[in-house]
Amino acid sequence: MHWAEKIANRLIAEHPQRQTYVCASGISPSGSVHIGNFREVVTTAFVAKALRRAGKEVRFIFSWDDFDRFRKVPAHIDPGFAQYIGLPYSKVPCPYGCHASYAAHFESEFEQALQVFEIEPEFIYQSREYQSGRYYPQILHALRRRGEIYDILMSFKTGGSSADERAAFYPIHLYCGQCGKDSTTILDYDDTAETVAYHCGCGHCDTVHIPQADNIKLHWKIDWPMRWQQEQVVFEPGGRDHSSETGSYNVAAVIAEQIYGYSPPMYEPYEFISIKGSFAKMSSSSGHNYTPDDLLEVYAPENILFLFAKYQPNAAFHIGLDEDVLRNYAEFERYAAGARAGRLTGDLAGALELSLRSDSPVSAGSNVSFGQVASLLPLINFDRGRLREMFNRNNVEIDELRLQRVADRAEYWIRNWMPHKLVTIQASPNYAYYHSLTGELRWLRSLCSLLRSRELDETQRMTEIYAICHHEDKKTMRIQQKRLFTIIYQLVLGAEEGPRLPWLIQAAGTERMLNLLEL
C-alpha cells in the first residue's frame, strides 16, 4: 500500500464521523518557490487524492503566508529592495513591475506551475485574512493568554525565563501605521478597551483597536495552531526544520491543545531535497534551487510527480539535470509499460497512479521514449518533421502533440544542460581511426555489404549484422558485437555510443553510412 493511502486510512480511522477532511499546506512567498518547497504541497496533494479515492470529501487548502515580513533580498532581486525589509510581502512592490506586489508575483508564478500538475488547492492569502478582521477574536484570545503562551514557549527552550520577560511578552507582530514596517515595540495591552499601544523605530507612536486593526499578526508558532483550529485541519506535512523535538510543530501542537482547545492535525515530516552534487539546502533567497518551471522544461509533469510519489516523505533524495534525466525517464517508461500490461503492483503501482494527470501518456499508452528522441534529434538537426517520419516509417504509433512535447523537452535538455550530446553525423571519414583497426576491418566490410543489400528487410539486416561477430562462445560474441557497434558509432558519430543502429542508418542514410564506413 502506498504511503499516501496509509495516511488516508489512518485519518479515516481517527476521524470516522468527519464529513470533510481538511488537508493543509502553506509557503511564504519569499521568492520563487523551489522544488524543495514543492514537496510540501505535493505531499498534501497525494494524501488528498487518496482520501477522495476512498470516497471522502476533501478540502485541500494552501496558505500563502504573505503577511510575513520581508526578511532579506534574494540573490536575483535588485539590492535596492533592502529598503523594504520589515514590510509584509503583500506590501513590497513587484520586483519586475508586472504584479500588484512582491507576494503576488511569486504566488502567481507558483500557482500557474501547479495548474500544469493538475494540483488545484483552495488558496488562502493570509494578508487578506488578517486584514479582513477574521482573526481578531483569536488574536485577543492569545493576548489574554500570553503568560501561558510564554510558559509553553519557554518549556521548549534550554534557557531560563524571567518574570520581567514574561510580563513584556506579546504573541503578536505589529506593523507600523506610519512606515508599514515591523520595527515596533508594544508598550501596553488594554484588555477592557481591546487596544495595544506601540512605538516604532521610525518615531511613530499609536494605539490601535484590535477588532478594527489591519496591521497585527500572530507569531508563527501561535499563528499555525490558530489556523488549524480556524480551518479544522486534520492533516498537514512539515519540513525537517519544523519536526525536531523542540521544533515548530511540537510547540504549535501544545499551543493548539492548551490555548485553542484543538487537537493538532496528523503531521507528516518530510526530508529536504538537494541538487545533485551539492550538499547545500535549496533556498529562494540564495538562488540555489530548481523551481517547478525549471524542471518542467525537461521533465513531463507526471515524471516529476512520480519522483515525489515513489519516495517516502521522510526519505531524502537529490535531483540532477545530467544523465539522471535519461535514467528517470527510462524508469518511468518501464513502469508505465508494466502498468499497461497489468504487471505493476504494490507501492510502485500506487505511486504511478497518484502521479497521473488526466492526459498522462500512461493512461493512453505511449511508445515514444525520451532517450530515443534525445539520441536522434541532434542527428537530424532537431527537425521535428523528420523525427515524425522516422517514427511513422518504423510503424511506431505516436501522438503528434505528445511527440512534440517530448522533442521540445529533449532539445532544451541537450542545449542547456548536456551540450556534449550535440552529436552530429561526421562530415568526412575518420581515416586515422579507420586505419588503426586491424582484424575488425573484415566486420566493417561485411557490414557494408549488408547495407548495400536490397533483398533484406530491416529485421533480416539486423539479424545478419549481429551474426557478423558470431562466435561459439556467447560471452565472446557479445563482447565482439559491442566492439563492432562502438566502431560504427566512432566512425559515423565520433562518439562511443548512439541510437539503435536501424535508427542511425535511417538518420544518416545508407549512402552516407557507406561513405563513412568503407574507406
Side-chain angles (χ1 to χ4, degrees):
M1 183 181 292
H2 189 266
W3 58 261
E5 294 175 284
K6 292 178 182 177
I7 292 173
N9 289 344
R10 284 171 51 203
L11 286 169
I12 293 168
E14 291 180 13
H15 305 277
Q17 304 303 319
R18 187 170 289 264
Q19 182 177 348
T20 302
Y21 291 77
V22 182
C23 299
S25 59
I27 297 171
S28 176
S30 58
S32 290
V33 177
H34 56 72
I35 203 68
N37 300 137
F38 184 70
R39 197 168 201 179
E40 166 91 20
V41 63
V42 79
T43 299
T44 311
F46 288 148
V47 173
K49 198 170 187 178
L51 281 166
R52 290 190 179 109
R53 287 183 174 171
K56 300 302 179 181
E57 182 179 324
V58 179
R59 183 176 175 233
F60 173 17
I61 61 175
F62 181 98
S63 285
W64 280 115
D65 293 320
D66 53 3
F67 207 46
D68 287 357
R69 75 189 298 268
F70 181 48
R71 297 180 180 278
K72 64 185 295 188
V73 182
H76 60 284
I77 301 296
D78 180 352
F81 267 63
Q83 65 182 301
Y84 302 117
I85 289 175
L87 292 175
Y89 287 114
S90 57
K91 297 295 183 182
V92 177
C94 173
Y96 305 104
C98 52
H99 288 83
S101 68
Y102 184 100
H105 179 89
F106 295 109
E107 289 164 356
S108 176
E109 180 181 88
F110 189 58
E111 288 173 16
Q112 288 178 36
L114 288 183
Q115 288 178 15
V116 178
F117 295 98
E118 294 185 353
I119 295 176
E120 299 176 342
E122 173 190 337
F123 292 105
I124 298 175
Y125 304 89
Q126 290 303 325
S127 59
R128 300 177 192 173
E129 299 302 303
Y130 269 104
Q131 294 181 306
S132 72
R134 178 189 177 194
Y135 296 149
Y136 90 80
Q138 285 70 35
I139 293 172
L140 283 170
H141 183 69
L143 283 166
R144 288 166 182 153
R145 304 280 296 274
R146 65 188 184 279
E148 296 167 68
I149 292 172
Y150 173 83
D151 294 338
I152 293 169
L153 295 174
M154 294 307 297
S155 72
F156 284 86
K157 295 182 178 180
T158 54
S161 60
S162 72
D164 288 345
E165 190 179 70
R166 188 176 191 271
F169 171 76
Y170 294 94
I172 60 172
H173 296 291
L174 196 150
Y175 292 106
C176 175
Q178 184 70 36
C179 71
K181 298 185 177 183
D182 67 344
S183 52
T184 56
T185 302
I186 296 173
L187 305 173
D188 182 55
Y189 163 64
D190 187 325
D191 187 45
T192 303
E194 298 182 340
T195 60
V196 286
Y198 72 91
H199 169 77
C200 180
C202 73
H204 182 69
C205 297
D206 199 4
T207 298
V208 296
H209 185 228
I210 295 167
Q212 297 174 323
D214 63 358
N215 58 341
I216 297 175
K217 180 188 181 300
L218 289 167
H219 291 176
W220 162 240
K221 292 177 184 177
I222 301 97
D223 169 80
W224 199 12
M226 178 275 291
R227 285 192 263 154
W228 290 339
Q229 186 270 332
Q230 281 288 98
E231 307 295 351
Q232 297 293 289
V233 176
V234 297
F235 173 76
E236 182 164 4
R240 184 181 66 192
D241 50 343
H242 295 309
S243 308
S244 67
E245 187 176 340
T246 58
S248 299
Y249 174 76
N250 286 327
V251 177
V254 175
I255 292 174
E257 291 180 324
Q258 296 186 14
I259 304 300
Y260 288 108
Y262 185 76
S263 296
M266 183 185 296
Y267 180 76
E268 184 66 28
Y270 59 83
E271 259 294 349
F272 296 133
I273 300 166
S274 61
I275 293 174
K276 185 179 180 182
S278 171
F279 296 101
K281 179 183 173 183
M282 285 197 206
S283 164
S284 294
S285 59
S286 70
H288 178 75
N289 61 62
Y290 293 147
T291 67
D293 283 338
D294 290 333
L295 294 192
L296 285 167
E297 296 281 8
V298 174
Y299 285 107
E302 55 270 11
N303 292 83
I304 299 171
L305 291 173
F306 184 70
L307 279 174
F308 287 88
K310 72 176 183 177
Y311 289 107
Q312 294 283 339
N314 62 358
F317 66 94
H318 64 248
I319 292 180
L321 290 173
D322 55 2
E323 296 286 349
D324 280 1
V325 171
L326 292 178
R327 285 188 283 271
N328 288 331
Y329 265 107
E331 178 187 59
F332 183 86
E333 290 159 5
R334 185 172 67 255
Y335 292 144
R340 290 196 296 274
R343 298 191 306 269
L344 193 67
T345 59
D347 288 354
L348 285 172
L352 190 69
E353 192 174 358
L354 285 168
S355 305
L356 300 186
R357 303 174 309 140
S358 58
D359 67 343
S360 291
V362 180
S363 56
S366 176
N367 297 316
V368 176
S369 160
F370 178 90
Q372 185 178 31
V373 170
S375 68
L376 289 172
L377 276 176
L379 308 185
I380 56 175
N381 198 29
F382 297 95
D383 186 329
R384 307 300 199 267
R386 281 199 64 193
L387 182 67
R388 184 173 58 254
E389 289 170 6
M390 290 177 71
F391 276 102
N392 288 333
R393 177 178 172 181
N394 287 273
N395 298 314
V396 177
E397 186 178 344
I398 61 170
D399 177 288
E400 293 274 350
L401 179 58
R402 200 160 284 143
L403 180 62
Q404 180 69 39
R405 287 174 176 169
V406 173
D408 288 346
R409 292 187 178 109
E411 179 172 2
Y412 183 90
W413 176 63
I414 292 168
R415 293 192 184 280
N416 292 277
W417 294 98
M418 302 293 282
H420 68 274
K421 289 190 176 291
L422 282 166
V423 177
T424 57
I425 296 166
Q426 298 286 79
S428 58
N430 187 341
Y431 292 101
Y433 183 80
Y434 182 87
H435 290 300
S436 71
L437 304 172
T438 54
E440 298 99 334
L441 289 176
R442 71 180 190 279
W443 296 345
L444 287 179
R445 286 191 286 270
S446 298
L447 172 65
C448 291
S449 177
L450 290 171
L451 289 176
R452 285 198 182 87
S453 175
R454 298 179 182 274
E455 299 175 0
L456 300 174
D457 62 26
E458 191 168 275
T459 301
Q460 293 169 328
R461 179 182 288 117
M462 285 307 300
T463 300
E464 293 295 326
I465 289 173
Y466 277 107
I468 289 173
C469 300
H470 177 74
H471 194 281
E472 293 298 328
D473 181 65
K474 290 185 177 180
K475 183 178 180 181
T476 301
M477 184 170 68
R478 284 195 295 270
I479 292 172
Q480 291 184 166
Q481 287 169 342
K482 184 177 180 181
R483 172 62 177 155
L484 171 60
F485 283 95
T486 299
I487 291 170
I488 295 169
Y489 291 131
Q490 282 285 7
L491 288 170
V492 178
L493 302 177
E496 291 285 326
E497 57 186 20
R500 290 179 59 242
L501 190 55
W503 293 82
L504 176 60
I505 295 169
Q506 291 174 33
T510 302
E511 289 304 317
R512 199 170 177 190
M513 289 284 290
L514 289 168
N515 289 337
L516 295 170
L517 295 172
E518 190 175 47
L519 308 183

